[in-house]
Amino acid sequence: MSHAHGGEVIAQRLSRRGVSHLFTLCGGHISPIFTGAKSEGIEVVDVRDEVSAVFAADAMARMTGVPGVAAVTAGPGVTNTVTAVKNAQMAQSPVLIIGGAPATVLKGRGALQDIDQISLMRPITKWAASLSMVSELAPAIDYALEVATSGTPGPVFLEIPVDLLYPQTIVEEWFIKESGLDKMSGVSAKALELYLRAHLLRQFSAPYNPLKFADTSLPLPDFTDPEKQIDQVADELARAERPVLVIGSQALVNYSPGEAASLATAVEKLGIPTFLGGGARGLLGAESDLQFRHKRSKALRAADLAIIAGFPFDFRMGYGRTFGSKTRVVSANLSQEDLRKNRRPEIGLNIHPGDFLRELSYRMGPAASRPAWFGDLQQREDARDAEIDAMGEQDAGGLVNPIDFFKRLDAKLDDNSVLVVDGGDFVATGAYVLRPRSPMAWLDPGVFGTLGVGGGFALGAGLARKDAEVWLIWGDGSSAYSLAEFDTCVRHGLAPIAVIGNDGAWAQIAREQVEILGDDVATVLTRNDYHTVAKGYGAEGILVKRKSDINRAIDKAKKLSKEGRPVVINLHIEQTDFRKGSISM
């Protein structure tokens, strides 16, 4: 099949893999990719900061099971993505980042925006490569998407020089002009001409070397037998009196919405107490007799069997020390490193955690009745909910109590809502109260704890689920990273509702800094008019300062969103002691 330029080659390979959106910020190095994507029916979404392009691609991957794709220009375009790429690596999200680069004959000669991008990206990606021939474009895209999704998923980076993307006739004109060949004569001119024509012949006509992208890695041998191990887990679960299941984000990686729904069915069939973390929140809906949200550490210490599906033994699990001395631990994880880091489980399965749980449910009979165990867990759950309710009723000094706000918001969330969270103290408070309504309906940064994901995640969520009511929960500090993406929402017809918890501080840092060091230096913000900023970008803005304004503001925001108008609620909250003692390092 003939192609007008390299951008069309790339677009066709992406389309074949089911990629529906390309996130980008324009740059001359990569323009043919935009036009190729448009002609192939891929929606091109242009953002206001390259980091948001990668965050949006990450969100798309998490919500659809199809790799997310971002294209950025050379130099600063690539460097601006680093935080988002590292976040995707730690969250194990399959994302392809395409970076532009100067022409092949100009690399290393001081061309505009020419830097060593591969050395920068290689440590934070599963695979990073630079291309030099047009024949490499199609196989490189195919291979990159395969690497991103296989094994432990993660981001990959392809550097594509500008002269591989434009038509050969235009590239030839550039080479002649940039080299000064059109103004030269004599033997030196002839030699330069021969060199450039040979270079062009190689670029545009040389055959592809199938060995270039061969996987030369040598993974450690794994002598485990997943089938036998799943049978062992089934036997242990049948005997357990106090089992606990913890499900992390990895249980949903590479899953389509339909596969996520089948995983939820499998978990319900297992019928054991379940805690959901990260992107797994919402898997069992807002109401489930199996799901518990509080006192996970106490449950794990009391359990006789803990099944950990797609959740590493990192700081969130006490580095593997959370379990009781007699707790039998089962762990399923795609990463062999994560499977054994900090603690070796009694049974470790190097397998997709979601596939493991679905297969386990097939092998189990009707769920055993464990009323005493459920009763103990429910008692602790109810006690903690009562504490939160009581704190939500406390006076907020004339402003809004954030717990009270989140309780009211939770009561008004649509069944098709998606919650995007980006912030510290305000967001962490909301996590105790808000209940995602369905699988793939909660987007948080992941283990990296990155601020700034909000604008990009909201874009990705809105495009992946165009029928959804997308809520973006922002701290006032984190909102400034990507509030400009509301301009992108307006231009692309998206209508998320952002809530900015405005307490005029980096509250999560200030809480411990002031108490320990006695100084609030560098933690103080101004209660800015973020709702007015939103209006400047063409969105709607609502100011809320009192408890009596909450319900009206939520209802108005929902109505405006349904009309296709993005909204920012500037919520003036009082600082509380709800999360006193929490750490931020």
Side-chain angles (χ1 to χ4, degrees):
M1 182 182 296
S2 62
H3 303 92
H5 52 71
E8 290 189 356
V9 178
I10 292 170
Q12 288 183 3
R13 307 314 291 191
L14 295 177
S15 181
R16 288 187 184 186
R17 189 58 186 261
V19 174
S20 58
H21 293 80
L22 174 72
F23 299 95
T24 191
L25 195 156
C26 66
H29 289 97
I30 55 173
S31 291
I33 300 177
F34 309 154
T35 60
K38 182 178 179 181
S39 65
E40 196 62 30
I42 297 174
E43 186 173 347
V44 179
V45 183
D46 52 315
V47 300
R48 300 303 300 269
D49 187 330
E50 286 92 353
V51 74
S52 292
V54 178
F55 282 137
D58 184 344
M60 182 67 72
R62 298 189 197 195
M63 297 190 70
T64 66
V66 177
V69 182
V72 297
T73 199
V78 171
T79 61
N80 282 346
T81 70
V82 168
T83 296
V85 175
K86 182 63 182 180
N87 191 77
Q89 182 192 46
M90 295 189 70
Q92 300 174 344
S93 291
V95 178
L96 167 59
I97 302 96
I98 298 172
T104 52
V105 293
L106 297 177
K107 291 194 71 174
R109 298 181 61 192
L112 175 68
Q113 299 177 335
D114 183 15
I115 63 171
D116 184 0
Q117 298 177 152
I118 297 298
S119 294
L120 183 70
M121 302 299 279
R122 183 174 286 125
I124 59 174
T125 57
K126 287 186 69 178
W127 181 64
S130 181
L131 307 188
S132 60
M133 298 187 301
V134 172
S135 62
E136 294 174 342
L137 289 174
I141 293 293
D142 291 344
Y143 183 71
L145 293 173
E146 181 62 28
V147 172
T149 54
S150 63
T152 305
V156 294
F157 174 73
L158 277 182
E159 178 184 80
I160 304 181
V162 63
D163 48 331
L164 303 188
L165 295 174
Y166 280 85
Q168 182 173 354
T169 54
I170 293 178
V171 174
E172 185 172 351
E173 291 176 5
W174 287 348
F175 280 11
I176 292 173
K177 180 179 179 181
E178 288 296 320
S179 65
L181 185 61
D182 56 338
K183 300 177 182 178
M184 297 172 61
S185 60
V187 176
S188 59
K190 190 63 178 178
L192 180 58
E193 180 183 5
L194 289 173
Y195 167 76
L196 291 177
R197 293 199 181 282
H199 184 83
L200 284 166
L201 180 65
R202 177 182 178 275
Q203 274 188 296
F204 286 91
S205 302
Y208 160 63
N209 177 5
L211 297 178
K212 179 164 183 177
F213 305 127
D215 186 359
T216 57
S217 63
L218 297 173
L220 294 175
D222 184 8
F223 299 108
T224 58
D225 180 351
E227 295 294 319
K228 182 179 178 180
Q229 287 181 299
I230 295 172
D231 284 337
Q232 291 177 329
V233 177
D235 290 341
E236 296 221 14
L237 179 55
R239 294 193 301 268
E241 296 180 357
R242 300 181 307 281
V244 171
L245 172 61
V246 179
I247 305 177
S249 301
Q250 198 193 75
L252 292 163
V253 73
N254 288 337
Y255 267 17
S256 67
E259 289 170 316
S262 71
L263 173 59
T265 300
V267 173
E268 292 284 0
K269 182 175 181 289
L270 290 173
I272 61 178
T274 302
F275 291 85
L276 304 174
R281 287 174 58 105
L283 179 66
L284 301 179
E287 301 287 347
S288 171
D289 293 337
L290 300 181
Q291 183 178 347
F292 295 86
R293 304 169 65 242
H294 309 306
K295 307 297 182 181
R296 183 178 70 193
S297 295
K298 287 188 175 181
L300 291 173
R301 280 193 291 270
D304 57 3
L305 177 66
I307 300 175
I308 314 300
F311 208 119
F313 302 126
D314 59 17
F315 69 93
R316 296 167 296 176
M317 296 284 283
Y319 303 101
R321 300 190 301 269
T322 304
F323 308 98
S325 60
K326 297 182 179 180
T327 306
R328 296 273 296 173
V329 178
V330 174
S331 180
N333 203 291
L334 283 166
S335 167
Q336 289 193 20
E337 179 183 359
D338 288 347
L339 193 60
R340 297 175 176 87
K341 182 184 290 185
N342 297 318
R343 180 192 177 111
R344 281 184 172 268
E346 276 66 35
I347 302 177
L349 299 95
N350 190 198
I351 188 175
H352 191 293
D355 293 350
F356 157 68
L357 291 175
R358 292 197 292 176
E359 185 61 33
L360 180 63
S361 74
Y362 299 151
R363 304 186 188 200
M364 300 297 298
S369 176
R370 301 177 175 95
W373 178 229
F374 272 93
D376 289 345
L377 296 175
Q378 192 62 54
Q379 186 176 17
R380 286 198 287 265
E381 187 86 357
D382 293 342
R384 181 56 173 152
D385 280 335
E387 291 176 357
I388 294 172
D389 288 345
M391 296 192 76
E393 294 173 0
Q394 292 178 359
D395 179 68
L399 297 176
V400 174
N401 182 319
I403 298 174
D404 181 43
F405 172 80
F406 284 126
K407 286 174 63 67
R408 292 168 185 258
L409 174 58
D410 186 69
K412 290 177 176 289
L413 288 176
D414 280 5
D415 288 341
N416 72 340
S417 60
V418 174
L419 294 164
V420 175
V421 296
D422 178 15
D425 197 70
F426 182 62
V427 164
T429 299
Y432 280 90
V433 179
L434 296 173
R435 298 168 300 166
R437 291 335 197 220
S438 61
M440 298 175 169
W442 175 274
L443 287 173
D444 63 26
V447 67
F448 200 25
T450 310
L451 292 184
V453 303
F457 273 15
L459 285 170
L463 291 164
R465 295 262 303 275
K466 292 190 176 181
D467 62 331
E469 181 181 87
V470 177
W471 288 85
L472 169 51
I473 310 302
W474 253 331
D476 51 349
S478 59
S479 70
Y481 284 85
S482 59
L483 185 55
E485 298 306 341
F486 265 70
D487 167 80
T488 308
C489 292
V490 170
R491 288 184 290 107
H492 288 274
L494 300 174
I497 306 169
V499 180
I500 299 177
N502 190 349
D503 58 6
W506 297 94
Q508 184 158 312
I509 308 302
R511 175 179 288 110
E512 57 188 299
Q513 178 177 311
V514 172
E515 182 170 334
I516 296 173
L517 302 176
D519 199 325
D520 66 359
V521 59
T523 68
V524 179
L525 297 172
T526 301
R527 292 186 189 265
N528 288 313
D529 291 338
Y530 298 106
H531 58 295
T532 303
V533 176
K535 291 178 180 178
Y537 285 124
E540 299 288 340
I542 301 173
L543 176 63
V544 176
K545 287 188 173 182
R546 299 181 300 276
K547 177 178 181 177
S548 59
D549 295 333
I550 295 175
N551 288 338
R552 172 193 58 80
I554 294 174
D555 291 341
K556 181 179 179 181
K558 287 167 66 74
K559 180 176 181 295
L560 289 169
S561 177
K562 283 182 170 59
E563 294 171 355
R565 297 152 74 183
V567 185
V568 170
I569 299 175
N570 185 4
L571 184 74
H572 283 228
I573 60 173
E574 185 58 72
Q575 296 181 19
T576 72
D577 290 330
F578 175 62
R579 299 186 62 253
K580 186 173 183 178
S582 63
I583 62 171
S584 54
M585 56 184 159

